[in-house]
Amino acid sequence: MRVLYVDDDRINTLLFEETCRCAGDFEVACAGTGAEALELAAVFAAEALVIDLHLPDTNGFELLPALRQALGGRRLPAFLCTADEPAQVAERAAAAGFNGCWTKPVTVEAMLAELQRGERGPAA
């Protein structure tokens, strides 16, 4: 599975990349800003999106529709990742079109299971 991961925290990015590498069957492209993510979307055929809520140049809620548009309108599975209180963002994330909302630090097993489940079905 090809995952576009967007997070400005380099440690989180390294952990995500390593987790996916160890799990196998994942190819990850990483961006630290919304602008970088949009550039990557033009050259990386993502099959899922993982987007941090707070980015230096945008937020996950604004970036998701822009990325989907950049990917030709494809409704890829998308997951919001945040250190914010889940009760405060989960409902808004679902309304914005995210398939799930992960709280940092993310549980590896749950993350991998949701990515693989998202791969099998269309995003809402």
Side-chain angles (χ1 to χ4, degrees):
M1 168 180 260
R2 296 169 57 92
V3 180
L4 177 54
Y5 182 78
V6 187
D7 194 327
D8 61 321
D9 185 308
R10 187 67 186 139
I11 299 297
N12 288 338
T13 300
L14 291 170
L15 289 170
F16 186 85
E17 286 179 306
E18 184 65 12
T19 297
C20 289
R21 187 190 65 74
C22 290
D25 296 328
F26 287 93
E27 182 180 346
V28 180
C30 299
T33 66
E36 289 175 7
L38 291 168
E39 287 177 17
L40 270 175
V43 296
F44 182 77
E47 297 170 316
L49 306 169
V50 178
I51 304 170
D52 186 24
L53 177 56
H54 301 288
L55 296 164
D57 60 344
T58 188
N59 66 61
F61 298 124
E62 294 174 359
L63 183 56
L64 179 60
L67 276 174
R68 285 188 166 152
Q69 182 178 4
L71 292 164
R74 294 178 26 227
R75 303 231 357 127
L76 304 176
F79 301 92
L80 185 68
C81 210
T82 183
D84 289 8
E85 180 64 37
Q88 296 177 357
V89 294
E91 189 174 310
R92 186 171 174 206
F98 284 95
N99 297 72
C101 183
W102 301 339
T103 303
K104 294 177 183 178
V106 176
T107 305
V108 172
E109 295 82 9
M111 176 196 75
L112 293 173
E114 283 202 54
L115 279 172
Q116 291 168 341
R117 186 172 32 255
E119 178 182 32
R120 292 190 295 270

